[in-house]
Amino acid sequence: MNELLGKLAACIEFGKVNLASPYPPHMKDQEGADEITRRALDGGVDPQDILYFGLMPGMERVGIKFRENRVFVPQVLMSARAMSTAMLHLKPYFLSGAARQKGTYIIGTVLGDLHDIGKNLVAMMVEGNGYKVVDLGTDVNSEKFIAAIKENTGAVVGLSALLTTTMVNMQHITSEIKKAVPETLVTIGGAPVNHDFCKKIGADFYAPDPQGVVEFLNKK
Amino acid sequence: MMNREFNFRLDELVIDQQEVAAVLGYDEGPLPEPFDSYLEQAMDESFGLTDIRAAYRIVDDIMVNEKEHLLMACGLAFKVGKTVCGELKGSQRLAFFICSAGKTISEKAEKLLKGEDPVLGYVYNVVGNAIAEAAGNRMQLFLKQAMEKSGDLITNRYSPGYCHWNVADQHKLFSLFPDSTCGVSLTSSALMQPVKSISGVIGIGRNVKYRAYPCELCSAANCIYRRTMHH
Ligand code: B12
């Protein structure tokens, strides 16, 4: 594959944003995701290939390392920053249809809950793995989820909660979603959530980490 | 009954910077750029915080019901579960508490996380968590010293939401305090605001035992703190 795309994947993996960014120490004074994406586009590399063979492999490696506790939240946020810098260059191609994402993922923290770090990490990783992400924010009720599903046909939904008192709201939201648009797949996560709870409330998938949901989406 | 409220400055608190660094992913060696300057910025700014607060209320109308895993206080039944009941065994009084790193840092972290600079926001977030816990430690030390005067000992602190104690009991806990004690309020879903806040209970008595809070007590299997934290 294009040497530039290999470099871009490394920028995403290690969170190298641009030339000026001192992070990570071992890539100091090198070009980052910003310059390399620009250069690839200017050199005629297909934007779709940039997404599939530059950004996605990089983000996949981050997801796996995070799951294995080899990197922590700040390093993932650095990778996400590198990725969104690259995405800025690609946005026009997504809008024009010259490049396409793999599908849409709607995510939100459920009614009554305001925690969003975990939800944001999931959103970033799913986006970095080639999906369009619609982030509804925190304290999201079933109506808002349903409206977003109707706007984005075929989208998969992600619900996040960090307290047992708000986790219970996932049940109502899931059943309302299934009532309104029965074929919708609902994925759930957050510190107090587990596989048994997922089964109990009739959701389709639980993952303890973002990579889990990426793998679920990729299998569909 | 005895109530106390504290307003802490950061320089009165002990923040374990190594623990903060570990949560940021660097348990060994110096923090690389930009995390070193981010942490410095968050700490420097936090020295100016004026809304780090803690409060405890001591109640003597209590009973630890080990059979039903209940804690009775002021006519309220707290369903604390077996573990917490065991830890509080022998208490003659209980100190309920609320501690908060305050609105300033909670909101600053959130704002940065949502927009401008999520990485810096996360560093503020971690510092805010550390301040909330450090305020808890300081409050606990003051309580210990106050109780020693009457020859009493204290247990470690235990919080709703840990060790099978349902977070919903936060409503009962907050009913023991005047509204917005420490500037903290509770939503109907039992979420404290500002977010960088903690609450719980400490046992007091001649024969209670202080035990370190081992991770083994907790049921959170994939907690990021299992690796890094000492509680
Ligand atoms: C830091 C922390 C705090 C800090 C800051 C809290 C804050 N709101 O900012 C402080 C010390 C202040 C605190 C206080 C309390 N906390 Co606390 N806290 C934590 C801790 C250790 C880490 C949370 C965190 O930042 N995680 C990092 C993020 C990135 O992880 P995450 O949000 O879980 O998201 C990840 C996954 O869950 C997943 N995910 C998340 N959403 C989704 C969605 C989908 C679709 C998928 C697939 C995956 C997914 O992917 C993310 C990335 O891996 C957790 C335990 C833990 N290790 O998780 C307890 C935890 C969240 N706290 C808990 C509790 C109980 C409390 C208190 C109620 C205790 C008390 N009585 O004082 C208070 C409540 C505070 C409030 N405002 O109401 C409980 C909540 C569970 C419950 N019983 O309800 C936890 C889980 C600990 C436990 N007992 O197991 N807490």
Side-chain angles (χ1 to χ4, degrees), chain A residues 19 59 64 69 90 93 112 133 145 172 187 189 191 193 210:
Chain A
L19 184 63
M59 207 41 140
I64 292 169
N69 280 329
L90 297 183
Y93 300 93
V133 171
F145 277 111
H172 177 72
T187 63
V193 181

Side-chain angles (χ1 to χ4, degrees), chain A residues 66 73 105 107 115 117-119 121-122 157-165 187-192 206-210 213, chain B residues 122 125 129 132-133 159-163 165 167 170 190-200 218-220 222-225:
Chain A
F66 183 60
V73 178
Y105 189 64
I107 191 164
H115 289 96
I117 299 176
K119 183 246 332 155
L121 284 177
V122 176
V157 175
L159 310 180
S160 177
L162 215 66
L163 291 177
T164 39
T165 41
T187 63
I188 64 170
Y206 156 76
D209 53 57
V213 83
Chain B
Y122 187 73
N125 182 71
N129 297 347
E133 294 289 358
S159 295
Y162 280 79
C163 304
W165 182 1
V167 202
Q170 285 274 58
L191 185 76
M192 287 183 277
Q193 280 184 298
V195 278
K196 302 304 173 200
S197 304
I198 58 170
S199 66
C218 174
S219 53
N222 45 25
C223 173
I224 49 166
Y225 283 63

Side-chain angles (χ1 to χ4, degrees), chain A residues 89-155:
Chain A
H89 296 289
L90 297 183
K91 274 266 147 71
Y93 300 93
F94 292 134
L95 290 175
S96 73
R100 297 181 63 175
Q101 284 156 305
K102 293 195 275 185
T104 304
Y105 189 64
I106 298 167
I107 191 164
T109 302
V110 298
L111 188 66
D113 205 323
L114 301 171
H115 289 96
D116 60 0
I117 299 176
K119 183 246 332 155
N120 293 351
L121 284 177
V122 176
M124 289 163 187
M125 292 228 188
V126 169
E127 187 181 16
N129 279 278
Y131 295 85
K132 177 182 160 196
V133 171
V134 179
D135 186 344
L136 300 177
T138 58
D139 198 17
V140 184
N141 61 23
S142 45
E143 289 79 31
K144 280 195 209 149
F145 277 111
I146 291 166
I149 295 165
K150 288 186 173 158
E151 259 175 52
N152 296 277
T153 317

Side-chain angles (χ1 to χ4, degrees), chain A:
Chain A
M1 199 60 230
N2 192 312
E3 187 209 343
L4 272 183
L5 297 185
K7 275 195 184 156
L8 181 56
C11 288
I12 304 301
E13 177 179 0
F14 296 106
K16 178 70 179 171
V17 179
N18 55 24
L19 184 63
S21 164
Y23 184 86
H26 77 276
M27 292 170 88
K28 208 171 175 165
D29 300 324
Q30 293 176 23
E31 280 188 327
D34 189 21
E35 294 85 7
I36 295 176
T37 308
R38 189 68 261 158
R39 215 139 57 76
L41 284 169
D42 291 347
V45 181
D46 186 341
Q48 191 75 48
D49 286 350
I50 297 180
L51 176 66
Y52 272 64
F53 304 112
L55 304 186
M56 278 163 45
M59 207 41 140
E60 188 182 14
R61 277 178 241 150
V62 179
I64 292 169
K65 286 200 284 190
F66 183 60
R67 170 154 75 192
E68 294 173 351
N69 280 329
R70 288 190 284 139
V71 295
F72 283 52
V73 178
Q75 294 76 42
V76 177
L77 291 174
M78 279 296 190
S79 293
R81 187 189 271 180
M83 184 199 72
S84 50
T85 312
M87 287 298 262
L88 279 183
H89 296 289
L90 297 183
K91 274 266 147 71
Y93 300 93
F94 292 134
L95 290 175
S96 73
R100 297 181 63 175
Q101 284 156 305
K102 293 195 275 185
T104 304
Y105 189 64
I106 298 167
I107 191 164
T109 302
V110 298
L111 188 66
D113 205 323
L114 301 171
H115 289 96
D116 60 0
I117 299 176
K119 183 246 332 155
N120 293 351
L121 284 177
V122 176
M124 289 163 187
M125 292 228 188
V126 169
E127 187 181 16
N129 279 278
Y131 295 85
K132 177 182 160 196
V133 171
V134 179
D135 186 344
L136 300 177
T138 58
D139 198 17
V140 184
N141 61 23
S142 45
E143 289 79 31
K144 280 195 209 149
F145 277 111
I146 291 166
I149 295 165
K150 288 186 173 158
E151 259 175 52
N152 296 277
T153 317
V156 176
V157 175
L159 310 180
S160 177
L162 215 66
L163 291 177
T164 39
T165 41
T166 56
M167 167 180 112
V168 292
N169 294 336
M170 287 179 161
Q171 178 153 21
H172 177 72
I173 293 173
T174 303
S175 72
E176 290 295 302
I177 289 175
K178 298 271 181 189
K179 242 190 269 164
V181 192
E183 64 279 10
T184 309
L185 292 174
V186 177
T187 63
I188 64 170
V193 181
N194 60 30
H195 182 67
D196 289 343
F197 180 74
C198 173
K199 268 196 9 213
K200 192 182 128 209
I201 67 164
D204 299 283
F205 187 71
Y206 156 76
D209 53 57
Q211 190 58 23
V213 83
V214 168
E215 286 164 9
F216 174 78
L217 293 172
N218 285 344
K219 266 195 245 138
K220 279 203 318 104

